[in-house]
Amino acid sequence: MAPEHIRTAIIKNDVATIMTSSSAGDVYSFGIIMQEVILRGAPFCMLDLSTQEIIAKIKKPPPLLRPSVSKQTAPPEYINSMKQCWAEQAETRPSFNDLAQSIKLLNGGK
């Protein structure tokens, strides 16, 4: 869930009720899925934090909490795409059309 949605969600008993949704929020989530696929692990799996701790840190920055993916686990272009998806300002995240084009270029036109 995108930070802007976590900050407006109502969370009771570890269940989030989303107050809003957006394409930019979906792009953030896509970046998280990219991290899951590359690392073959859960979101934020590189951090030794519980789900509740992750949510609390995302809700109340600074500092911004984002996953980290080492340069050895993915090509830099993929890491840059993920980081663009995780931009704090939703309006600066790429669109899905932009992501599709960049991924297509990274995969030799496929």
Side-chain angles (χ1 to χ4, degrees), residues 2 4 17 22 24 28-29 34 66 71-72 78 80 82 90:
E4 63 272 16
T17 302
S22 66
Y28 176 91
S29 297
M34 288 178 72
R66 297 294 187 267
K71 295 175 185 175
Q72 293 76 29
Y78 285 95
N80 290 336
M82 281 186 289

Side-chain angles (χ1 to χ4, degrees), residues 45-83:
C45 62
M46 71 296 302
L47 304 174
D48 189 27
L49 298 172
S50 70
T51 302
Q52 293 81 7
E53 290 171 314
I54 292 168
I55 291 169
K57 288 181 179 287
I58 290 172
K59 277 184 123 178
K60 301 222 191 275
L64 294 178
L65 182 68
R66 297 294 187 267
S68 61
V69 179
S70 72
K71 295 175 185 175
Q72 293 76 29
T73 58
E77 297 85 5
Y78 285 95
I79 293 172
N80 290 336
S81 289
M82 281 186 289
K83 287 182 178 182

Side-chain angles (χ1 to χ4, degrees), residues 22-32 81-82 84-86 90 93-96 99:
S22 66
S23 292
D26 292 343
V27 168
Y28 176 91
S29 297
F30 179 78
I32 294 293
S81 289
M82 281 186 289
Q84 289 173 0
C85 291
W86 301 330
R93 295 178 193 145
S95 69
F96 276 114
L99 284 169

